[in-house]
Amino acid sequence: MNLNNVNFEISAMNKSQYPTNKRPEIVLAGKSNVGKSSFINAMLNRKSLARTSSAPGKTRQINFYNIDDRIYFVDLPGYGYSEMSKKEQEKVALAVNTYLKNRKSINLIILLVDIRHKPTQNDIQMINYIKKTDKRYIVLASKADKIAKTKVESYVKDIAISLDVDNDLVFPFSAETKEFTNCIWDVINESLCT
């Protein structure tokens, strides 16, 4: 896969706006400000393909990033952002539910959580929803550079217990050091082969 050939393709809020080419989609879910945009930039060796923000709740549409005309990274709007109006929260939730429930080309769902904190109730609701989709998924424990390397494994185990998932489905990740990007690409490539 040529990572020099990547671009932002479209923001969508309904099915009529989704790409129609049926390429496999790697979906990124997680609360606002957990690091989804940073993940995209780190994985694709870009600084600002996906816009990062210190203010949570900026992504309010489903963003499709085209990777070498072979796969998409799909960035879902973050959840748990209280500053969004209730009407807007409902609109975003409906768009996300419609996408996850109906999209046939979803290949892998990656739920991002912050390794430093116990998963929130919203994270637990999201993983339970993902499990019900019967789609392949992993959990990414982001911001792993913020804790001591000796503690990463135990934090990953705690997250697996909190989310009630197998330990081998939880992966540490750091957009800052890019230390774990090869491992995540291995998981993505494996998902494309199955």
Side-chain angles (χ1 to χ4, degrees):
M1 201 168 329
N2 180 8
L3 296 188
N4 292 316
N5 183 27
V6 298
N7 63 283
F8 167 75
E9 188 160 306
I10 194 169
S11 289
M13 277 303 278
N14 56 61
K15 289 192 279 187
S16 66
Q17 297 170 312
Y18 301 161
T20 57
N21 49 47
K22 299 183 181 175
R23 290 183 191 124
E25 293 172 5
I26 310 302
V27 181
L28 310 174
K31 68 180 183 179
S32 297
N33 228 22
V34 76
K36 292 187 275 82
S37 296
S38 296
F39 169 83
I40 291 169
N41 290 332
M43 292 293 287
L44 301 177
N45 282 323
R46 298 298 172 97
K47 286 189 177 172
S48 56
L49 177 68
R51 291 184 183 164
T52 59
S53 172
S54 56
K58 288 289 184 188
T59 302
R60 298 189 182 187
Q61 295 183 307
I62 300 170
N63 292 322
F64 291 79
Y65 296 87
N66 182 339
I67 304 170
D68 198 28
D69 294 329
R70 292 180 62 190
I71 66 170
Y72 287 104
F73 277 172
V74 182
D75 184 12
L76 300 181
Y79 51 78
Y81 180 56
S82 59
E83 295 298 313
M84 203 186 287
S85 71
K86 187 162 188 196
K87 188 175 180 183
E88 199 160 8
Q89 284 180 36
E90 288 170 359
K91 185 180 173 187
V92 167
L94 178 62
V96 169
N97 288 343
T98 300
Y99 170 78
L100 289 175
K101 196 180 286 186
N102 299 300
R103 193 66 169 159
K104 299 275 191 281
S105 39
I106 294 174
N107 211 71
L108 176 70
I109 302 174
I110 301 176
L111 175 64
L112 283 84
V113 297
D114 189 325
I115 197 169
R116 301 169 297 176
H117 307 297
K118 188 172 180 179
T120 65
Q121 194 56 44
N122 283 330
D123 293 324
I124 292 167
Q125 286 176 346
M126 190 59 172
I127 197 66
N128 288 338
Y129 184 89
I130 290 169
K131 289 174 185 175
K132 286 177 187 168
T133 67
D134 284 330
K135 298 189 186 297
R136 184 175 177 150
Y137 69 88
I138 62 169
V139 177
L140 207 71
S142 70
K143 308 188 183 184
D145 56 287
K146 306 290 186 193
I147 62 171
K149 283 188 178 183
T150 54
K151 294 183 177 178
V152 167
E153 194 175 330
S154 68
Y155 278 54
V156 162
K157 282 181 184 171
D158 290 345
I159 288 168
I161 291 166
S162 295
L163 295 177
D164 191 25
V165 299
D166 291 341
N167 202 65
D168 60 1
L169 290 177
V170 184
F171 297 84
F173 186 79
S174 167
E176 199 67 37
T177 65
K178 300 184 183 177
E179 188 179 348
F180 305 99
T181 53
N182 287 343
C183 176
I184 304 305
W185 272 120
D186 287 345
V187 173
I188 290 171
N189 288 326
E190 186 187 336
S191 80
L192 296 173
C193 294
T194 54

